[in-house]
Amino acid sequence: MNPSPNILIVDDHPLFREAMALVITTELPGAQLGEASTLPMALQRLAEGPVPDLVLLDLNLPGVHGLEGLAEVSAAAPDAPVVIISAEEDKQLILQAINAGAMGFITKSAPRERMRQALRQVLEGNIYLPPDIVRGSSSGDSPSRNTPQISEEALNRLTERQLRVLERMAMGESNKQIAWALNITETTVKTHVSAILGKLGVNNRVQAILAAGEWLENRKSRRTD
């Protein structure tokens, strides 16, 4: 992770920009911060360069509807990871944002430590999902069209160690955090993640987490009964 990342905060509320800047400078004292209060201003900053290491993008900017802002920022700076920041906490909206290319979704009600965790994970190249995105999965939820359905047979093919890695992935932990928690190396974690994706027939860790969420919750419940 770059110890001095260039981060662009795009939000129309100055108090929130100030609060987010404080979180960032506390976690990353050398970070270079840019701010924009509107989408056109953000696009201008992106055009002027340099490409930021991270864009924190408010979902509900003035004159912007749905995920239009994400699409325009991604088109203007395709190499810059974008994390959505929003007061919205709807699960389907979060899934839509991830499927549309966001590297993460932070709710404005999230505690400061969770915001710091999200920043760390995305800057390390991982996707950040709110912990509650997996919890609460139920048959009543409408599955995302881009989320594959994984059979229980496929999940049962995972080894116990792979299941433990998957569980910690579902908690939003990075490879480094998983390695520390399970007392294994990051290289071993990466090997397990690759094996998990292959056995489940998915393309990335987010698909694995979302598709296996309810099964993981049931497994956890069985262990605590």
Side-chain angles (χ1 to χ4, degrees), residues 16-209:
F16 183 79
R17 293 200 306 273
E18 182 179 339
M20 200 70 228
L22 179 60
V23 172
I24 293 169
T25 53
T26 300
E27 178 67 20
L28 303 164
Q32 303 172 52
L33 301 182
E35 296 185 10
S37 59
T38 66
L39 182 59
M41 187 183 296
L43 296 176
Q44 180 179 351
R45 292 190 69 103
L46 292 172
E48 293 171 350
V51 176
D53 297 296
L54 175 63
V55 178
L56 298 172
L57 177 65
D58 182 19
L59 187 65
N60 297 313
L61 291 168
V64 179
H65 302 285
L67 298 173
E68 290 176 357
L70 173 61
E72 293 199 40
V73 168
S74 297
D79 294 331
V82 180
V83 171
I84 296 295
I85 300 176
S86 176
E88 302 281 348
E89 298 186 18
D90 178 72
K91 177 179 177 180
Q92 289 305 313
L93 178 61
I94 295 173
L95 299 187
Q96 288 170 14
I98 297 299
N99 284 325
M103 287 292 288
F105 195 108
I106 302 174
T107 59
K108 290 188 175 182
S109 62
R112 182 172 297 184
E113 176 53 37
R114 190 171 297 172
M115 290 185 177
R116 288 201 294 262
Q117 179 187 6
L119 289 172
R120 288 194 298 267
Q121 286 193 206
V122 175
L123 289 170
E124 288 172 358
N126 299 308
I127 293 176
Y128 175 80
L129 284 171
D132 293 340
I133 194 65
V134 176
R135 294 193 297 271
S137 295
S138 68
S139 57
D141 290 330
S142 300
S144 167
R145 64 182 179 181
N146 293 324
T147 301
Q149 300 303 297
I150 299 175
S151 68
E152 186 167 340
E153 180 183 356
L155 287 158
N156 287 333
R157 287 200 295 267
L158 299 179
T159 66
E160 184 60 31
R161 179 53 64 92
Q162 288 165 356
L163 285 170
R164 292 180 67 189
V165 169
L166 180 57
E167 286 176 332
R168 303 203 79 88
M169 285 165 54
M171 293 165 61
E173 293 186 357
S174 66
N175 287 349
K176 184 176 183 179
Q177 291 171 315
I178 295 171
W180 184 85
L182 300 183
N183 196 28
I184 56 180
T185 66
E186 278 192 71
T187 300
T188 300
V189 173
K190 291 177 182 178
T191 300
H192 284 314
V193 172
S194 296
I196 290 167
L197 301 186
K199 288 182 178 181
L200 299 185
V202 296
N203 298 321
N204 55 58
R205 61 199 290 147
V206 172
Q207 289 183 337
I209 292 167

